[in-house]
Amino acid sequence: LDLRPLVVEAAASADSGIALAALRALGVLGTKEDWPRLAAIAQGKGAFSPERSAAAALSLGGLGQGEAVVQSALQGLATEVVAQRVAAIAVFSELESSESVPLLATVLAAKGTRSERIAAAHALGRQAPTTPSALKALLAASASGDAALRAGCVQAIALAASRGLTSRLAYRKMLDLAKNKDERVRAAAIRAAAALDSVRFAKALKGISAGGSKLVLESIGEVLGALPGEVALGRLLELSTVSDPGMRQAAAMGLAKRRDPKSAEALSVLLADSSAPVRLAALAGLTSEDELRPFLEDEDPSLQAAALRGLVAAMGAEAAAPLVAGKLATSGDVLGSQLLWVGAWLTAER
C-alpha cells in the first residue's frame, strides 16, 4: 500500500490539523521529490503558518536535510521579512542549533513583536539543554513586565527541563514564580519546577495555592501524576470526582501515569465519563490489547486513533498493520478518516 500520494495531497489541505499530520508523516514517507516543497514551507514562503514551517523542517530533518534547513533558518532569523523570520523561529523550536541562540536571544530581548518574542522563547527552550546561554536569556526575560512573555519563558524552561536540563538557579526561580499573581505564569512555573526537581518540588507543593484557577489546578493534576507517594495520589483521586470536566481530565492525565490498584480503579470510572476529553486522557493509562480493542469502535474518532496508537505500542507496528488496513478498507473515500488511521499508526510509540 503506497501511502505517499495520499499524504502529499493531505499536506496541502486547508484543514490545519490534517496538513500538520501529513507534513510530519512526510518525514517518514517522503522522497527527494518532496524536498523543494518542504523547504519552501520551512522558509515561510507562501501562505504557511509557523506550525507548518516547523513541521516541514522536522520532516526535512528526518529525510537527512537537517543541516541545510538549519543554515537556511539562520539566514531567515536575520532577515527583515517578518514571515520568513517567524518561520525561522518556528524551525528552531524543532531543530537544535547552538548558532541560533544569539539571534534568538536578540529577538527575545527586544527585536520583534510579542508573538515573535514568545516564539523565540520556545525555540530557546529547545536549545537550552545543550547551550547554557539559552537558559540565561530565558531567565532574564522571565522577569519581564509582560505576563504573557513571562509565561512563555517559563514554559520554555519547562520544555528544556523535560529534555534533560538541570539547574538549581532555574528551580529556585520557578519556585518563586509558582506564587506569581498571574495564573498563566503560576501554571507554567509549577510544571517547570516539577520537571527540574520533582523530589524537592513534591515537598514544596503544599505551599502553593491554586487560588481558584482552573489553569493552575490542571498543572497541579499533571504534576501530581508524576510524583510518587500517597499524598499525590490522594489529591488526584479527589480531582477525579469533581463536577468540572476539565479537572477530571487533569486527574485522568495524572492517574494514567501511575501504576497502582487505586489509580487503576479510578481510571476505570473515568473511562465511562460523559466527557470525551476525560475518556481520552484516561485511555492513556491502558496498556493491554484486551483493554484497548473495544475503543477502536468508539463513536469519537480521537479515541479510536488513541486506541490504535496504544495497540501499536502493545503489539508492535507490524502486528498492528492489519488493523490499519481494515480501518482503511471500511473508511470509504474520506481523506480525513484515512489520514486519521494512517497518522495514528505512524505516530505511535514503537
Side-chain angles (χ1 to χ4, degrees), residues 34-297:
D34 301 310
W35 290 0
R37 176 170 176 76
L38 288 171
I41 297 173
Q43 293 166 14
K45 296 178 179 178
F48 300 115
S49 68
E51 292 79 14
R52 294 194 192 197
S53 294
L58 191 61
S59 285
L60 280 167
L63 295 173
Q65 296 299 295
E67 184 57 32
V69 177
V70 165
Q71 293 305 315
S72 175
L74 286 171
Q75 295 176 16
L77 281 176
T79 185
E80 295 300 320
V81 181
V82 175
Q84 292 183 25
R85 193 167 66 239
V86 170
I89 294 171
V91 166
F92 290 117
S93 69
E94 295 289 355
L95 300 181
E96 186 176 307
S97 168
S98 60
E99 294 177 79
S100 72
V101 172
L103 294 168
L104 290 168
T106 298
V107 174
L108 176 62
K111 183 180 178 181
T113 64
R114 173 198 271 181
S115 60
E116 283 182 79
R117 294 174 73 191
I118 292 173
H122 184 78
L124 284 165
R126 177 68 178 81
Q127 313 305 321
T130 56
T131 310
S133 57
L135 176 61
K136 183 178 179 180
L138 288 169
L139 288 173
S142 68
S144 166
D146 185 327
L149 182 59
R150 286 202 309 276
C153 290
V154 173
Q155 289 165 359
I157 291 171
L159 170 67
S162 72
R163 292 177 176 269
L165 173 72
T166 58
S167 167
R168 290 185 178 181
L169 175 61
Y171 173 77
R172 290 195 296 270
K173 180 69 172 178
M174 296 305 101
L175 206 57
D176 287 341
L177 288 172
K179 301 172 185 177
N180 192 273
K181 64 180 181 180
D182 187 280
E183 66 172 1
R184 294 167 298 176
V185 176
R186 292 205 311 279
I190 285 169
R191 290 189 177 96
L196 285 163
D197 193 330
S198 61
V199 175
R200 292 175 66 189
F201 187 69
K203 298 176 182 178
L205 190 57
K206 291 182 179 179
I208 296 173
S209 169
S213 166
K214 177 179 178 180
L215 194 62
V216 175
L217 276 172
E218 288 176 347
S219 291
I220 291 174
E222 291 178 23
V223 167
L224 287 172
L227 296 180
E230 289 296 318
V231 174
L233 174 58
R235 185 63 179 130
L236 280 171
L237 294 176
E238 290 175 15
L239 289 175
S240 72
T241 61
V242 300
S243 59
D244 186 337
M247 294 301 97
R248 297 199 304 277
Q249 181 183 359
M253 292 171 66
L255 289 165
K257 297 177 181 179
R258 307 178 74 95
R259 294 290 180 268
D260 59 80
K262 290 182 180 179
S263 295
E265 183 179 351
L267 282 175
S268 67
V269 175
L270 292 171
L271 283 167
D273 197 275
S274 59
S275 167
V278 174
R279 298 198 305 275
L280 181 61
L283 190 66
L286 303 184
T287 57
S288 74
E289 293 181 41
D290 290 342
E291 292 174 321
L292 288 163
R293 277 184 180 275
F295 288 93
L296 289 176
E297 309 303 328

